[in-house]
Amino acid sequence: MCRHFGWIGRERTLHELFFDAGYGLRRQARVPRWQRVGLVSKDGFGAGWFPIGRAGATERYRTAIPIWDDGIFPALAREVASRCVLGAVRAASPGMPVEESANAPFTNGRCLLSLNGHLSVSKARPLLGSGRPPESSCDAALLAALLWQRLDTGQDLPEAIVSVLRDVVQLDSGACLNMLAADGGRVVATAWGETLCYRREADGVLVASEPHDEEDGWIRVGDKTAVIADTAGIQLRFIPRDGPFSAEVSPAAAPPCTSAGFTPDVGFPASGGSLQAL
């Protein structure tokens, strides 16, 4: 498994997001507090961001070196700032390659994607059409290629993520699909088999595998739920295996140092509403 986060809001440096937090990815990579499987994310890490003044463009830094051994990124992180950032550390699933191209974030040039989870490459490969081969033979790279394929047909990012998730689960019922994607204006995440939380701050929203500090305000996301966050607010949506992706879920607060696990499924109304701050 892995740890990842997405930030949308005021311009922040990568150093603020990766290193200044009391329990950010550098610490989570060694000693995660909520991670359920694979407790050391030593197989590399990556950062992706949307440069200021370049709408629709992505940049990234990836390596197969553990985040605590990389001597280049901390200095770079002080110089780079963005309003939308995705970060990830990786613990490779058994049988998956350990290489730079297997590390998130994956990109199609307009969106970024990370996976905290696993899926069967052999079972899910039939979903992939021609014309967009994965960057790596790893499961997360295949998932990214499937997402780019859906986006190329004109699907909106939340719709595309949920349709990929459903189709993969149809073929691989044991898949763990905590996905995190960003398009520069939104962060979209799924909780499907692993932990997820978020915090609304005065200047933006941080969505993450687990809390980045001991402060209040973190909200634990229930399983089979999607989070859609932008600068205007946060929306939680229940993800049924089939049927409309429309039921809105109520948030449930959770302290940052609780052990791994999920809160019980919370109730949701029969129909969803417009995007609103929670």
Side-chain angles (χ1 to χ4, degrees):
M1 295 295 185
C2 312
R3 303 281 84 181
H4 57 201
F5 77 83
W7 165 256
I8 181 72
R10 177 187 64 83
E11 181 180 326
R12 287 189 177 182
T13 67
L14 301 187
H15 201 278
E16 287 180 84
L17 293 166
F18 276 80
F19 300 112
D20 288 355
Y23 220 96
L25 285 191
R26 185 182 176 95
R27 292 190 69 185
Q28 290 176 29
R30 284 185 181 272
V31 188
R33 295 179 290 183
W34 282 14
Q35 193 161 324
R36 301 169 69 109
V37 178
L39 296 183
V40 180
S41 296
K42 60 181 176 53
D43 298 315
F45 74 98
W49 63 94
F50 293 80
I52 303 297
R54 290 172 53 196
T58 63
E59 291 190 6
R60 64 181 172 178
Y61 177 95
R62 299 189 299 176
T63 178
I65 299 172
I67 190 170
W68 57 82
D69 281 342
D70 188 283
I72 297 174
F73 184 66
L76 171 68
R78 293 183 184 279
E79 302 298 322
V80 175
S82 176
R83 299 185 182 94
C84 187
V85 177
L86 190 154
V89 292
R90 181 175 185 238
S93 300
M96 294 294 105
V98 177
E99 57 190 11
E100 179 181 312
S101 60
N103 275 277
F106 302 93
T107 184
N108 64 350
R110 302 182 306 278
C111 293
L112 301 166
L113 178 73
S114 172
L115 170 67
N116 171 25
H118 57 79
L119 63 146
S120 168
V121 171
S122 60
K123 291 179 180 179
R125 187 180 289 114
L127 296 172
L128 185 64
S130 61
R132 194 182 282 278
E135 293 182 63
S136 166
S137 61
C138 75
D139 50 1
L142 173 62
L143 192 69
L146 292 173
L147 178 61
W148 311 149
Q149 179 177 279
R150 306 299 170 95
L151 293 174
D152 286 347
T153 68
Q155 288 187 16
D156 192 38
L157 182 59
E159 176 190 2
I161 284 179
V162 171
S163 70
V164 168
L165 185 152
R166 284 174 170 161
D167 286 351
V168 170
V169 169
Q170 286 278 340
L171 299 175
D172 179 11
S173 61
C176 176
L177 297 173
N178 273 45
M179 293 183 278
L180 181 61
D183 62 7
R186 293 171 296 182
V187 169
V188 180
T190 58
W192 193 279
E194 248 287 352
T195 60
L196 186 69
C197 63
Y198 69 87
R199 184 170 66 189
R200 177 67 187 266
E201 303 184 4
D203 57 351
V205 179
L206 187 64
V207 183
S209 298
E210 61 181 71
H212 283 208
D213 56 36
E214 311 289 351
E215 303 301 320
D216 294 335
W218 290 100
I219 303 295
R220 186 190 289 271
V221 177
D223 199 29
K224 295 179 174 57
T225 303
V227 178
I228 305 168
D230 63 14
T231 56
I234 304 160
Q235 189 179 58
L236 304 184
R237 294 288 183 180
F238 178 67
I239 309 173
R241 284 182 177 264
D242 49 36
F245 172 50
S246 61
E248 190 168 352
V249 179
S250 300
C257 292
T258 54
S259 60
F262 299 106
T263 54
D265 287 342
V266 294
F268 51 90
S271 61
S274 59
L275 185 65
Q276 56 185 300
L278 300 178

